[in-house]
Amino acid sequence: MRQVRIEVVTLFPGLVREALGHGVLGRAIERGLVVVACEDPRAHASGPHRSVDDRPYGGGPGMVGTPGPWSAAIDAASARLAAATGVSVGGAGGGLRRVYLSAQGVRFDQAMARRLAATAGLVLVAGRYEGLDERVLESRIDLELSLGDFVLSGGEFAALAVIDAVARLQPGALGDERSGEEESFSVDGLLDWPHYTRPVEWEGRSVPEVLQGGHHAQILRWRRKQALGRTWLRRPDLIAALDERGGLDTESRTLLNEYLAEREVEKNG
Ligand code: SAM
């Protein structure tokens, strides 16, 4: 059985643990497909207050994570991960990666989730305050990942997003493996098609007729058309990328043109 082990370096292990017990992620952990452990930098701090932050050099507001306890926590988490997986941590040679969640990192996406899901384990470092002393990032971090262009007050929610995205990619995590193969960013990198369930009529809106018919080939064609169309409307960059890869074949172009023509008719009543 494939298993991915994730160590989270966090000042709020309770927050991380509380979020792990639900839904797909909860089941993946229960089945042993994902193992999550936390390491608290405060456990590596000394002094009466076990302080893990200090004022920034150069002045200004906020505090900065101090190098000692944060590096010690990352090292402890890395050592535990290396011992459990037999794979060394850090470096460019394909070892286990130490990831800092950061607004300044590369954007986390499904392709990255797939890459991380295929590894034996990860150390996820959730920052707080103004962030960590830069020297910790230089010496202990292999990759910085951002959830998007906004600022969170801590990296825990970003770490949880990464854990969830990685967990659902583990074989056996989803009730039906097709769910993972047929969602956004999976089929040709397109967005998912729209979904409907009972009742067939709701508030004057009907489920599209083709989905009610049970004609498999027609349903597949409709879904592909919707996926292409809504990706074209919402994420033209994904269509451009598909085209660049040579994946926008004649059939796809026909479907896209049909979608746009049907939309035009709908708009004009
Ligand atoms: N001073 C930092 C900056 O302006 O880039 C923001 C620090 S933020 C208040 C505290 C922590 O939240 C960061 O150390 C990081 O771990 C996490 N964080 C904030 N925004 C994030 C994002 N968009 N993606 C991932 N982690 C984020």
Side-chain angles (χ1 to χ4, degrees):
M1 181 182 72
R2 238 200 79 72
Q3 182 181 72
V4 61
R5 303 184 77 96
I6 302 178
E7 292 279 343
V8 187
V9 174
T10 170
L11 291 175
F12 298 101
L15 187 163
V16 173
R17 287 197 195 102
E18 273 166 35
L20 297 175
H22 309 273
V24 169
L25 178 55
R27 274 202 308 278
I29 289 174
E30 220 174 79
R31 290 175 186 161
L33 306 175
V34 183
V35 178
V36 182
C38 294
E39 189 67 32
D40 188 343
R42 216 172 282 286
H44 299 271
S46 48
H49 301 298
R50 290 195 165 272
S51 172
V52 290
D53 61 323
D54 208 338
R55 288 189 304 272
Y57 270 109
M63 301 294 271
V64 177
T66 43
W70 283 89
S71 62
I74 296 169
D75 289 347
S78 303
R80 196 161 50 224
L81 191 58
T85 59
V87 182
S88 64
V89 174
L96 299 166
R97 273 184 285 186
R98 296 161 297 181
V99 178
Y100 178 49
L101 287 312
S102 159
Q104 300 170 37
V106 296
R107 187 73 67 87
F108 183 58
D109 63 10
Q110 190 66 13
M112 178 62 77
R114 272 190 223 109
R115 279 204 288 281
L116 298 182
T119 65
L122 289 171
V123 178
L124 298 178
V125 182
R128 283 274 157 177
Y129 320 114
E130 290 302 323
L132 306 186
D133 185 301
E134 191 66 19
R135 293 166 294 180
V136 177
L137 308 184
E138 287 166 6
S139 68
R140 298 294 197 283
I141 295 299
D142 308 304
L143 174 68
E144 290 192 30
L145 278 186
S146 169
L147 273 204
D149 290 349
F150 47 83
V151 178
L152 298 165
S153 47
E156 286 77 11
F157 292 105
L160 286 164
V162 172
I163 294 171
D164 187 69
V166 163
R168 61 185 286 106
L169 289 172
Q170 297 308 309
L174 300 175
D176 184 332
E177 287 303 307
R178 282 174 308 173
S179 308
E181 290 157 17
E182 295 182 353
E183 58 193 3
S184 293
F185 316 113
S186 297
V187 185
D188 282 347
L190 298 174
L191 300 181
D192 200 4
W193 53 75
H195 299 275
Y196 297 88
T197 186
R198 280 185 286 254
V200 73
E201 288 281 333
W202 180 75
E203 292 192 348
R205 294 164 194 270
S206 308
V207 173
E209 244 176 75
V210 60
L211 299 181
Q212 300 176 40
H215 190 302
H216 191 57
Q218 277 177 15
I219 291 171
L220 286 182
R221 189 176 191 281
W222 181 87
R223 286 180 168 167
R224 174 80 181 169
K225 181 161 62 174
Q226 299 300 317
L228 282 159
R230 61 168 45 192
T231 308
W232 190 86
L233 292 175
R234 298 177 188 197
R235 292 289 304 275
D237 58 306
L238 297 178
I239 293 286
L242 178 61
D243 197 12
E244 255 169 51
R245 294 197 301 272
L248 203 59
D249 55 15
T250 316
E251 167 73 356
S252 301
R253 285 175 204 276
T254 306
L255 289 173
L256 193 47
N257 287 334
E258 266 181 37
Y259 179 93
L260 295 173
E262 286 165 12
R263 191 165 178 271
E264 220 29 55
V265 171
E266 254 172 49
K267 258 191 2 203
N268 299 329

